[in-house]
Amino acid sequence: MAILVTGGMGYIGSHTCVELLNAGYEVVIVDNLSNSKIEVLQNIQDITGKGFKFYKINMLEKDSLERVFHENEIDAVIHFAGLKSVEESVLHPLLYYKNNLMSTITLCELMQKYQIKNLVFSSSATVYGIPEKVPISEESQLQAKSPYGRTKLMIEEILEDVHQADQQWSISILRYFNPIGAHESGKIGEDPLGRPNNLMPTITKVAARKYNILHVFGNNYPTIDGTCIRDYIHVTDIANGHIKALKKNKNSSGIHTYNLGTGKGYSVLEIISSFEKVTGVHIPYQIIAPRSGDVAVCYANPTKAEKELGWKARKEIDEMCMDSWRWEVNKMNDDLNKVNV
Ligand code: NAD
Ligand code: UFG
């Protein structure tokens, strides 16, 4: 019996595949490589020493996706596939609604047809919008502020309805806070196409001298040093949360929502200084105007996941910074090797 991992070639999906394979699960990946590279396949294999199946399929193409269900004994599905840029979703809302909603509906239709009712879904802390208070618990008000965020909220509602109609479904909705870091081997990590928007990939590119300077968006927020506070969490901790959710789903039906965060917040300046401390690399930065839509403080109350899934984030901020940097250095070395061949 296999776990179908949609979007398994992407950042969080690839780390989850590693943890699944290490834990002895059989894995089938579906990904259209719209935001990931084929090299990830080999890297997952190198890390785990295990084989798995990969289908390059666009999930909007139902007949192609059905082939995966037909050819494999699928036990459960982890659904990562989706587009994830807030900025891009504002420019291309229809692309986001079509890709994220239709892929989920097509997937659920096939799961229903093949009587597979165990699903773990990637949601996001973005569904909390501007939080009324921190730490943010799962019961906090939901108010997505972008088309991307609304796709997550809509999918959460679709899944509620799917479960309402057939209560044999076991669904875990995982709301991630700010995933950073990379596998300790440095072989897989976040590899955004084009210029990154997020803090950590921008820091590592400044450290690698691919960019001259880090722009810090605002220092006048009501926080310890005026810069925004976020709950950064190691991607491997996030990956392990999925294994815990799969196990919970297997033992009970129902639909449950969990925050995956550390419960601790760090400011932008604190992240810069942690990164400099553990890597020894100076990060030149400049404070510029606040970025529109940023909230001052956002961190999780992760106690529900601890109580009900037995999951807790383990890795500290220094390790997150070091692993992010190791991944960037390895990518630089790979690029150099390609040039020298
Ligand atoms: P990612 O872009 O690295 O991975 C997503 C993968 O899905 C990519 O490999 C992409 O090629 C694939 N994909 C997209 N549309 C597809 C389609 N129609 N058919 C098949 N494959 C398709 O993103 P990630 O950071 O690994 O995020 C995984 C999930 O977690 C996403 O749903 C994202 O919205 C969510 N999430 C991410 C973050 C974050 O900061 N990284 C935070 C909260 C939630
Ligand atoms: N930041 C900078 N400079 C940069 C990039 C970011 O100062 O070059 C700051 C931002 O202003 C923010 C903090 O760093 O204060 C974190 O920004 P990110 O873009 O890394 O993360 P966000 O919290 O804005 O958003 C991320 C994902 C969203 C997701 C959200 C909640 O990008 O998709 O976490 O999970 F919805």
Side-chain angles (χ1 to χ4, degrees), residues 84-87 123-127 148 176-180 196-203 214-218 221 227-230 232 268 291 294-296 298:
K84 64 163 181 177
S85 158
V86 171
E87 291 75 10
S123 189
S124 165
T126 197
V127 299
Y148 164 68
Y176 318 146
F177 280 67
N178 289 57
I180 60 169
N197 295 311
N198 296 117
L199 181 62
M200 187 51 79
T202 310
I203 289 180
L214 172 74
H215 288 141
V216 173
F217 301 132
Y221 289 97
T227 63
C228 292
I229 288 180
R230 294 288 182 276
Y232 298 94
V268 176
R291 185 169 70 175
D294 273 348
V295 298
C298 173

Side-chain angles (χ1 to χ4, degrees), residues 33-56:
L33 302 182
S34 58
N35 197 36
S36 47
K37 294 184 183 144
I38 192 70
E39 292 90 280
V40 172
L41 265 189
Q42 188 60 48
N43 294 335
I44 297 174
Q45 259 172 40
D46 289 348
I47 293 170
T48 61
K50 307 248 172 81
F52 53 88
K53 276 195 180 173
F54 168 62
Y55 291 84
K56 183 173 182 289

Side-chain angles (χ1 to χ4, degrees), residues 1 8 39 69 71 95 100 137 141 160-161 180 205 210 220 259-260 265 269 272 274 276 291-292 301 304 312 338:
M1 296 293 258
E39 292 90 280
F69 283 83
E71 291 177 1
L95 174 70
N100 293 1
S137 73
Q141 202 189 326
E160 288 279 352
D161 289 339
I180 60 169
K205 287 199 170 7
K210 289 179 181 165
N220 212 8
N259 285 339
L260 295 189
L269 296 185
I272 296 172
S274 274
E276 289 181 327
R291 185 169 70 175
S292 134
N301 175 346
K304 186 177 174 199
K312 197 174 187 313
K338 277 179 200 151

Side-chain angles (χ1 to χ4, degrees), residues 82-101:
L83 299 173
K84 64 163 181 177
S85 158
V86 171
E87 291 75 10
E88 190 185 44
S89 78
V90 173
L91 295 173
H92 303 290
L94 296 177
L95 174 70
Y96 271 66
Y97 287 117
K98 184 171 181 185
N99 191 72
N100 293 1
L101 297 182

Side-chain angles (χ1 to χ4, degrees), residues 138-181:
E138 289 81 356
E139 286 71 43
S140 302
Q141 202 189 326
L142 302 177
Q143 37 148 326
K145 297 282 183 206
S146 68
Y148 164 68
R150 280 187 279 280
T151 68
K152 292 295 178 194
L153 264 188
M154 286 176 191
I155 293 170
E156 289 196 7
E157 286 171 355
I158 290 169
L159 297 179
E160 288 279 352
D161 289 339
V162 166
H163 176 261
Q164 187 61 36
D166 177 353
Q167 307 216 345
Q168 285 176 351
W169 278 74
S170 299
I171 303 174
S172 289
I173 293 171
L174 305 181
R175 293 181 182 150
Y176 318 146
F177 280 67
N178 289 57
I180 60 169

Side-chain angles (χ1 to χ4, degrees), residues 115-134:
Q115 293 290 298
I116 299 153
K117 298 181 179 180
N118 181 342
L119 174 67
V120 180
F121 171 64
S122 302
S123 189
S124 165
T126 197
V127 299
Y128 297 118
I130 301 166
E132 290 167 319
K133 62 178 174 99
V134 286

